[in-house]
Amino acid sequence: EEAVEFTKKIAPTDATVLLLGESGTGKELIAKAIHKLSERKNNNFVTINCGAVPETLLESELFGHEAGSYTGAHKRHKGYFETADKGTIFLDEITETSELFQTKLLRVLQSGEFNRVGGNETIKINVRFIAASNRDIENLVKENKFREDLYYRLNVIKISIPPLRLRKNDIPVLINHFLEKEKAEH
């Protein structure tokens, strides 16, 4: 309930949000709720799982690329940042990125500007950033495994989502929700 009420409160802002919690706690659901309750709701909500995309492709997927920028890049590709312009981008498992990538992401967060891979044109975007991790990001910062300056840029508003085993009162509500959903489908 606390996370839901806080989500409703912060959704209308444009502040960057950092969602923390174990896998399966509903970080993506909260990210979508923030978007749907915001002024950006009529624009794109773009999700990318940073841990599921190979590092070599992640930059091209987010920033886009110009034709000929690498083998196989036959035409210009608009990246997720451009697709999310005026909307929201959800960077799931942000702690799975390299330091080099984190440096490039920091620039986008600071200035709203980037260049496509292989391009010199500076592209300006207006995007709300929501990032998530299932790891102890503060500990990763202390161990120099995650950039401290990026952490502070992402940690404007932090929502920690406890696992269901610590929210036993939610179990009956969830059971009723899924029973009603199942009933409606049949």
Side-chain angles (χ1 to χ4, degrees):
E1 285 180 17
E2 287 175 34
V4 169
E5 288 307 311
F6 191 61
T7 297
K8 289 177 185 175
K9 184 178 176 181
I10 59 105
T13 73
D14 265 344
T16 300
V17 179
L18 180 60
L19 303 172
L20 301 174
E22 294 177 10
S23 294
T25 54
K27 296 182 294 291
E28 188 168 352
L29 289 173
I30 289 183
K32 285 179 181 175
I34 290 168
H35 176 72
K36 287 179 182 175
L37 294 170
S38 77
E39 295 295 318
R40 297 175 180 269
K41 66 184 169 221
N42 295 322
N43 297 303
N44 289 333
F45 175 83
V46 178
T47 299
I48 186 157
N49 183 331
C50 298
V53 179
E55 186 74 30
T56 53
L57 291 177
L58 187 59
E59 187 175 350
S60 178
E61 289 296 311
L62 282 169
F63 296 95
H65 61 258
E66 295 293 341
S69 59
Y70 58 87
T71 305
H74 301 296
K75 61 180 184 174
R76 175 185 276 179
H77 168 70
K78 190 169 143 177
Y80 289 131
F81 284 142
E82 283 181 84
T83 303
D85 191 28
K86 297 181 182 54
T88 304
I89 191 158
F90 176 52
L91 302 170
D92 199 9
E93 302 312 337
I94 191 69
T95 52
E96 301 302 316
T97 58
S98 71
E99 186 173 355
L100 177 61
F101 180 79
Q102 291 171 28
T103 303
K104 293 175 181 180
L105 181 59
L106 181 62
R107 177 177 178 237
V108 180
L109 275 162
Q110 289 172 329
S111 68
E113 298 177 347
F114 65 94
N115 300 76
R116 288 188 197 100
V117 175
N120 353 350
E121 175 192 354
T122 299
I123 298 163
K124 181 92 171 138
I125 55 166
N126 177 349
V127 172
R128 183 182 200 166
F129 288 89
I130 302 176
S133 180
N134 62 4
R135 298 176 66 195
D136 183 345
I137 195 168
E138 290 176 6
N139 199 41
L140 293 172
V141 169
K142 288 177 191 166
E143 295 173 357
N144 292 319
K145 294 180 179 174
F146 194 83
R147 288 185 61 111
E148 185 174 18
D149 47 1
L150 178 58
Y151 169 67
Y152 287 112
R153 283 281 177 184
L154 294 171
N155 191 27
V156 176
I157 296 175
K158 179 168 54 176
I159 301 176
S160 295
I161 306 156
L164 190 56
R165 69 179 174 279
L166 299 178
R167 304 182 279 135
K168 292 192 183 347
N169 291 343
D170 289 354
I171 294 172
V173 175
L174 289 169
I175 290 171
N176 287 334
H177 167 76
F178 289 115
L179 285 173
E180 290 298 319
K181 188 175 178 181
E182 185 69 24
K183 201 185 299 181
E185 291 176 6
H186 293 291

